[in-house]
Amino acid sequence: MPELPEVEILVRHLDPLLRNRVIRSVDVRREKILRPTSPAEFARRATGAKILSVARRAKYLLFALRPPGGKEADLLIGHLGMTGRIYLAPRDRPLPRHAAVVFDLGLHYCVFEDTRYFGRMTFDTAPLAELGPEPLEPGLRAEVLWQGLRRSRQAIKVKLLDQSLLAGIGNIYASESLFVAGIAPCRRADRLKIDEVSILLRAIRKVLREAIAAGSTVPLDFAGAEGRDGLFYYGSSGPGRYEERLRVYDRLGQPCLRCRAPIRRTVQAGRSTYFCPRCQCGLRVRAGSTGNTSRDR
DNA sequence: CACCATGTTCCTTG
DNA sequence: CCAAGGAACATGGT
């Protein structure tokens, strides 16, 4: 579920639930998730600690802890990887197969579940130092972004995934932002003009804010009988599905919402990119027909 | 069976 | 040393 908007929504949901709760004990079921913190150190620093707040930086969750001794604050960080989720669950419910780390909070368990185990729950905060600016930070100027792009010959889509340039955008919102900006994903970063970067930054902010707003309306009753949240891109069903709000991502062959040309897919740096060949690349393609033979969901 | 998947990190190559 | 590309990680869905 993890790009900046999903993490932001999760953080807003978790903060009031976890604030001032004490971690009575920890159950580490997948030590890999703690890397590079050792299980012993993790248990020592987390057990008995009070959660002071839950915040976000890029795609990281920041758990401010106060150790039992009542000493200075400690920082625990979480990353959801590709499939990570965090939610409260009644302690009488059996833990899911891929529960990686479980905090005992008394009435509830706080469960970090991650089927692929790419996520993190660790006291190693070094990765935070590598992060670029927050896209939604009001003080961020297009000029700064432009400076960061001008020395790279990589495609702009690939650069948007570079967390040291701009932090929090992932594969889905990279395609979405470029579509809204009307910029071809294959454009070389160093060939973008300052005005285009300005338009792109505006598009990024619009897309991220929209996603946060939409996600905020989704009920996140993690502790309920359902045990699942509505933030998943895939596997969910019914109206208001997450993917239905996406403009181009995963819409191969479907008509562009702006010009009806069939959406195309390409691969950049090993990741899928979706785009409109006409709106973004200026290609003269027929509108209307699907132009492809693939049948998607 | 084949291919695809929201992310990051490591290794190799140039 | 840097930039860029690819594989690896691990599991599940289609």
Side-chain angles (χ1 to χ4, degrees), chain A residues 4 12-13 59 66 88 126 166 205 216 237 290:
Chain A
L4 185 154
R12 291 182 189 181
H13 173 77
K59 302 172 194 174
R66 188 170 65 205
L88 289 184
L166 196 59
R205 285 171 164 164
S216 299
S237 58
T290 64

Side-chain angles (χ1 to χ4, degrees), chain A residues 39-53:
Chain A
E41 181 186 356
F42 186 84
R44 176 177 64 75
R45 292 171 73 169
T47 305
K50 175 186 276 192
I51 301 170
L52 300 178
S53 64

Side-chain angles (χ1 to χ4, degrees), chain A residues 63-271:
Chain A
F63 300 91
L65 305 182
R66 188 170 65 205
K71 293 302 156 215
E72 70 270 11
D74 202 3
L75 183 61
L76 172 68
I77 68 175
H79 194 292
L80 300 172
M82 294 269 264
T83 55
R85 285 181 295 170
I86 299 176
Y87 53 88
L88 289 184
R91 52 184 306 144
D92 57 9
R93 190 195 305 168
L95 292 170
R97 174 185 311 280
H98 299 298
V101 178
V102 181
F103 291 153
D104 182 354
L105 301 178
L107 288 178
H108 294 95
Y109 285 136
C110 178
V111 181
F112 186 126
E113 181 185 3
D114 187 359
T115 57
R116 289 168 75 176
Y117 302 109
F118 288 176
R120 287 286 167 80
M121 185 70 96
T122 179
F123 283 99
D124 171 36
T125 60
L128 299 180
E130 311 289 306
L131 297 172
E134 287 283 326
L136 295 179
E137 174 60 44
L140 175 61
R141 305 285 309 224
E143 167 81 24
V144 174
L145 212 50
W146 181 73
Q147 288 293 343
L149 294 172
R150 60 184 304 191
R151 284 179 299 96
S152 174
R153 303 163 72 89
Q154 271 188 313
I156 182 61
K157 156 62 162 43
V158 177
K159 291 305 288 181
L160 287 182
L161 299 179
D162 180 349
Q163 302 297 298
S164 68
L165 175 76
L166 196 59
I169 298 173
N171 201 43
I172 290 177
Y173 294 115
S175 282
E176 295 293 302
S177 299
L178 287 167
F179 173 79
V180 170
I183 294 173
C186 60
R187 287 278 301 283
R188 266 173 54 163
D190 60 359
R191 301 244 173 107
L192 288 190
K193 292 180 287 189
I194 180 76
D195 287 359
E196 294 177 299
V197 176
S198 182
I199 289 168
L200 178 55
L201 179 57
R202 222 185 320 260
I204 288 167
R205 285 171 164 164
K206 173 185 167 80
V207 163
L208 296 180
R209 273 198 278 257
E210 256 181 33
I212 291 170
S216 299
T217 69
V218 176
L220 296 186
D221 188 13
F222 295 94
E226 176 78 346
R228 308 248 147 183
D229 60 81
L231 291 180
F232 252 123
Y233 300 116
Y234 304 106
S236 60
S237 58
R241 278 160 50 195
Y242 209 92
E243 56 213 68
E244 287 176 2
R245 297 203 319 274
L246 302 177
R247 292 171 168 87
V248 285
Y249 188 85
D250 205 27
R251 297 208 163 194
L252 176 63
Q254 295 177 37
C256 168
L257 298 177
R258 193 189 291 142
C259 79
R260 313 303 289 172
I263 296 302
R264 291 189 189 173
R265 172 186 179 271
T266 187
V267 174
Q268 298 177 285
R271 319 287 307 270

